Amino acid sequence: MRKLAFGMNQSLDGYIAAPGDDLGWSVPSDELFQWWSDRVGATGLALYGRRLWETMSSHWPTADQQPGATPAQIEFARRWRDMPKVVFSSTTSTVDWNTRLVTDDAVTEITRLKNQDGGSMDVGGATLAAAAMRAGLIDEYAIVTHPVLVGGGTPFFTALDNWVKLSLVETRTFPDGVVLTRYETRR
């Protein structure tokens, strides 16, 4: 059985995007960028909602060919292109870069994928992660908290019907006061 993780940057007040989908507050330090890159390199399968897919696929497929691309950006772009991905969308018609499109029920497909053999899976995108969270499918939460209050936007956590008990498995501090807390779901 595969493990499913949900990891995102969040503001101190719990948002992954400020109003207007503004992500300008979450620019990573070199050390944090490397942590995210290593995470992508270790992911067996990435699950994306449409909006996050559009954001990622509009930049990373060719980011390594841009003038001034750093070695870390080149490495991340390569890892991102190579990583198997599934996009969940009822409005997107084509995907590329080692990606498969799913238009059916996301929870059913994520459950099927979890029951297969293979490497760990990461879920990204607030709406898709919320569906997996409500269905009790997430095994790990990696919360990268930035010391900023944005006052609203897209929340990291969704409303739940039941409590989810977690165990702290890692904490780490990055430059600029950014803190990683990683939790596993207690079942």
Side-chain angles (χ1 to χ4, degrees):
M1 178 177 260
R2 291 175 143 172
K3 181 173 103 174
L4 179 62
F6 174 41
M8 296 286 288
N9 292 303
Q10 80 165 6
S11 63
L12 187 60
D13 52 349
Y15 296 96
I16 60 175
D21 291 330
D22 184 356
L23 300 173
W25 54 269
S26 64
V27 175
S29 65
D30 290 344
E31 185 180 339
L32 179 56
F33 186 81
Q34 187 62 55
W35 182 85
W36 281 115
S37 182
D38 292 344
R39 188 171 177 88
V40 167
T43 298
L45 181 63
L47 311 177
Y48 284 106
R50 178 192 54 82
R51 286 174 51 202
L52 183 58
W53 164 254
E54 288 173 351
T55 298
M56 297 297 282
S57 67
S58 70
H59 178 73
W60 288 111
T62 59
D64 56 338
Q65 300 162 21
Q66 300 304 313
T70 67
Q73 291 167 335
I74 292 168
E75 177 184 49
F76 186 92
R78 179 190 52 79
R79 286 176 166 177
W80 187 85
R81 278 193 311 265
D82 291 348
M83 176 181 57
K85 296 170 279 300
V86 176
V87 173
F88 293 84
S89 175
S90 60
T91 58
T92 300
S93 58
T94 60
V95 293
D96 207 346
W97 305 291
N98 202 17
T99 305
R100 179 173 64 90
L101 178 64
V102 172
T103 58
D104 296 330
D105 179 64
V107 169
T108 300
E109 180 64 7
I110 294 169
T111 301
R112 187 186 74 75
L113 291 168
K114 275 191 66 143
N115 287 321
Q116 293 179 343
D117 290 332
S120 65
M121 299 187 304
D122 268 1
V123 60
T127 303
L128 182 61
M133 202 180 301
R134 281 190 304 275
L137 297 173
I138 297 179
D139 303 298
E140 176 186 304
Y141 295 87
I143 306 165
V144 179
T145 305
H146 293 252
V148 60
L149 303 172
V150 299
T154 305
F156 184 98
F157 291 102
T158 188
L160 298 171
D161 296 328
N162 299 300
W163 291 6
V164 177
K165 295 188 178 189
L166 306 171
S167 297
L168 180 66
V169 294
E170 180 184 7
T171 59
R172 181 173 170 184
T173 304
F174 291 93
D176 305 319
V178 175
V179 177
L180 162 70
T181 51
R182 202 166 55 83
Y183 298 90
E184 288 182 349
T185 303
R186 286 192 279 169
R187 300 200 192 272

